[in-house]
Amino acid sequence: MKLSAERENVDPEAVRRGIEDGTIIVLRNRSHSGILPLAIGRGLKTKVNANIGTSKDNADAGAEIEKLLAALRAGADTVMDLSTGGDLAAMRKAVMRESTAPVGTVPIYQAAAGILERGKAIVEMDAEDIFRVIEENGEDGVDFITVHCGVTLASVNSIHAEGRLLGIVSRGGSMTAHWMDYNKRENPLFSDFGRLLEIARRHEIVLSLGDGLRPGCIADATDRGQVHELLLLGELAKRARQQGVQVMIEGPGHVPFADIAANVLLQKQLCDGAPFYVLGPLPTDIAPGHDHITAAIGGAVAGAAGADFLCYVTPSEHLRLPTVEDVRDGVISSRIAAHIADIARGVPDALAKDISMAEARKSFDWEAQIRSAIDPEKAEKMLEKSTSAEGEGCTMCGDLCAIRMGKK
Amino acid sequence: MKLSAERENVDPEAVRRGIEDGTIIVLRNRSHSGILPLAIGRGLKTKVNANIGTSKDNADAGAEIEKLLAALRAGADTVMDLSTGGDLAAMRKAVMRESTAPVGTVPIYQAAAGILERGKAIVEMDAEDIFRVIEENGEDGVDFITVHCGVTLASVNSIHAEGRLLGIVSRGGSMTAHWMDYNKRENPLFSDFGRLLEIARRHEIVLSLGDGLRPGCIADATDRGQVHELLLLGELAKRARQQGVQVMIEGPGHVPFADIAANVLLQKQLCDGAPFYVLGPLPTDIAPGHDHITAAIGGAVAGAAGADFLCYVTPSEHLRLPTVEDVRDGVISSRIAAHIADIARGVPDALAKDISMAEARKSFDWEAQIRSAIDPEKAEKMLEKSTSAEGEGCTMCGDLCAIRMGKK
């Protein structure tokens, strides 16, 4: 707790109080040595997560580790291993070994992959399959897990009753809904939530209560299914705290610009101020190839309204698995959004970085400008061929540089 | 007027009323044939401008024409030729010839370049130099010009009295301030505003009243100098309308996220709802190399709050003249911001595009997804190597695609 407070120059006592009332969580599994604990929540810097992981069509573990390292170099605060292809347990262990940041997973992916490997259908899983994987994740030192506990018979029925353009677009949410439908049984992560809490408490895993019913397009945003699930997550969050288990809440997804702040308010109200982990959000659906930009717009608005943790989106979203370059672009875009939100929320030291940049620009100190940049590598590369012969100004304005005119 | 209304599927009568009360302008110089008139303002789609142009260090006119064409292909609604290097009159004529969209310029650049060529200092210009270039621009068919009429002895004094981290960062603003200081005279574009109106009316040029005193960093935002200039621009806008001259107002620049909506409100109030043309805005200063993303965040917020016209910012801003690729990225980022704002403001037909994309995703119609994209070219390129063997889903989720599970 003290370590995590010092990392961001905030009062450890404020962090302690935040942990106590559930508005702040600290990520670090009891058996995850070698990483610094990371605090997320009220009054703290907005954090950024990068997703990596194999899929069936791209099961190259080495390539995913390369993406992991690129994400960390670009400044991701956490990484999630969302692998669904190849040897998932081996992949997770490799990620745990290589990551200097807290690691999250979605255990149902491994449970599903396991059942498919045994030649069965996902709907044939049983509750033991999922709890066993969660236990394994805890033992491996995973710091936080996404669990779709709010996908229940009742909340899924809210979607069916209302109708939705794009149905369920969360993989974990979709698996769970189909499992319930086939087995005519309640989601075990809901009906046996106590068992989940027991595992989480033992390993000090943070539960990231997943939004398995999030909308998949802005036309579906803030519908009854989404809000029904959020209501349930708020109740489960309360139970988790009472049992000494830390929780955060995952949120959409695809949300029109004008509805983003209301979505944050709703989450904070219904979940007693629990940290909010948003997936984007994307305020338009029509920019595939540039969804890192769309997500940066949504993320800045959500962060300024109080969201605490941004899941990055890469330019590849909706099209393919990201490349290393896409991962890098995704992390940087989300960090820009997070920083803009931090200034808006008055997070300590945020504005000071912008003032340093302005001072460096005033004095034509190009090296200080590069040092002050969120992405020094890219700024330096672009500047290389640019600096004007006279050493002041750049090729944009040449000798008509307004700042240079001002100094003369 | 009718043509411009039809282009966006709005009631021509609403456009007519908007032109009458000054909340809508239509760009097209009387002698600019071959382009469609473009309406900008209340209730209409948010428009995007792309700046191109040579500088002393990069005076290759051919390269700038290539950027112009890239900007138009990417969907820019207008282009501004901001050339300051080489033969500016020839460059402008080439831009007028090649552009299928309305063209804007900043005449003081050419006036300044002319005086430097004659071996004199910019401060040695006289009023005739600038009015002559404006007249020439009108004759060449330029549709809108930036004129820094609000940079006056009094407004510049507001900056000096208060103090500012980065001083004046607008090139035209800086030239004008130094000219006034050296000559101990008022800005002729302010003191002889009537002459400017006469030229504008004769050629049907729209005046873009420039924000020469805009802040150059977020720490300087919304200071007395900026607001003083805006006050003057509001008064000048009123005079212009009384004389039958169309005007829009330029705005910052560098503005913290939390202050953007207030800046739009202030402009609308002080300028009787005149169209607002914002430069970005950038809600942080520390992302050189990615300022197209920063500007997209600021532009979406400004547009949602009522800004009508977004000037793009490229990844090169603050570092160098943009490349063709940078121009493309800048236009696309601004178009994403503009579209997100259009949905927020309920602009007709905006949300329908997102619904088309959602329907294409639901039915795995990859071709329709590409057609529905803001940037079909990039989406197609990213998708090429991606589509999963089974034809449905992509390499992101493979056979765990949530939408496919939902259809089974």
Side-chain angles (χ1 to χ4, degrees), chain A residues 55-58 84 116 122 164-166 168-171 174-175 178 217-219 254 257-258 283-290 292-294 296-297 300-301 304 315-321 326 332-333 336-337 339-340 343-344 351 353-355 357-359 361-362 366 369 372-375 378-379 382-383 386 388 394-400 402-403 405-406, chain B residues 55-58 84 116 122 164-166 168-171 174-175 178 217-219 254 257-258 283-290 292-294 296-297 300-301 304 315-321 326 332-333 336-337 339-340 343-344 351 353-355 357-359 361-362 366 369 372-375 378-379 382-383 386 388 394-400 402-403 405-406:
Chain A
S55 76
K56 193 186 160 194
D57 298 303
N58 270 301
T84 57
L116 290 172
I122 292 174
R164 213 186 223 195
L165 183 46
L166 255 186
I168 300 178
V169 297
S170 148
R171 286 181 289 185
S174 186
M175 288 174 196
H178 289 99
C217 60
I218 60 172
H254 296 250
F257 182 98
T284 179
D285 303 326
I286 67 166
H290 302 272
H292 62 309
I293 295 174
T294 308
I297 295 172
V301 178
S316 285
E317 186 76 20
H318 300 107
L319 295 171
R320 64 175 187 196
L321 264 198
D326 291 336
I332 297 288
S333 312
I336 293 170
H339 176 68
I340 287 170
I343 298 169
L351 185 61
K353 294 179 185 170
D354 293 71
I355 292 176
M357 176 64 86
E359 283 166 348
R361 282 180 174 152
K362 184 179 192 171
W366 293 101
Q369 288 178 48
S372 308
I374 274 190
D375 185 1
K378 185 156 186 204
M382 283 193 157
L383 194 62
S386 161
S388 198
C394 69
T395 54
M396 171 82 77
C397 304
D399 52 1
L400 297 183
I403 298 179
M405 284 191 273
Chain B
S55 75
K56 194 186 158 193
D57 298 303
N58 270 302
T84 58
L116 290 171
I122 292 175
R164 212 184 224 196
L165 182 48
L166 257 185
I168 299 176
V169 297
S170 147
R171 287 182 288 188
S174 186
M175 289 173 193
H178 290 99
C217 60
I218 62 171
H254 295 250
F257 182 98
T284 178
D285 302 327
I286 68 167
H290 301 273
H292 61 310
I293 295 174
T294 308
I297 295 172
V301 178
S316 285
E317 186 77 21
H318 301 106
L319 296 170
R320 64 175 187 196
L321 265 196
D326 292 336
I332 296 288
S333 311
I336 293 170
H339 176 68
I340 287 171
I343 298 169
L351 185 62
K353 294 179 185 170
D354 293 71
I355 292 175
M357 176 63 85
E359 283 167 346
R361 283 182 174 152
K362 185 178 191 169
W366 294 101
Q369 289 178 48
S372 307
I374 274 190
D375 184 0
K378 185 155 185 206
M382 283 194 157
L383 194 61
S386 162
S388 198
C394 70
T395 55
M396 170 83 78
C397 303
D399 52 2
L400 297 182
I403 298 178
M405 284 191 272

Side-chain angles (χ1 to χ4, degrees), chain B residues 54 58-66 91:
Chain B
T54 58
N58 270 302
D60 178 357
E64 294 310 306
I65 294 296
E66 205 188 321
M91 178 71 190

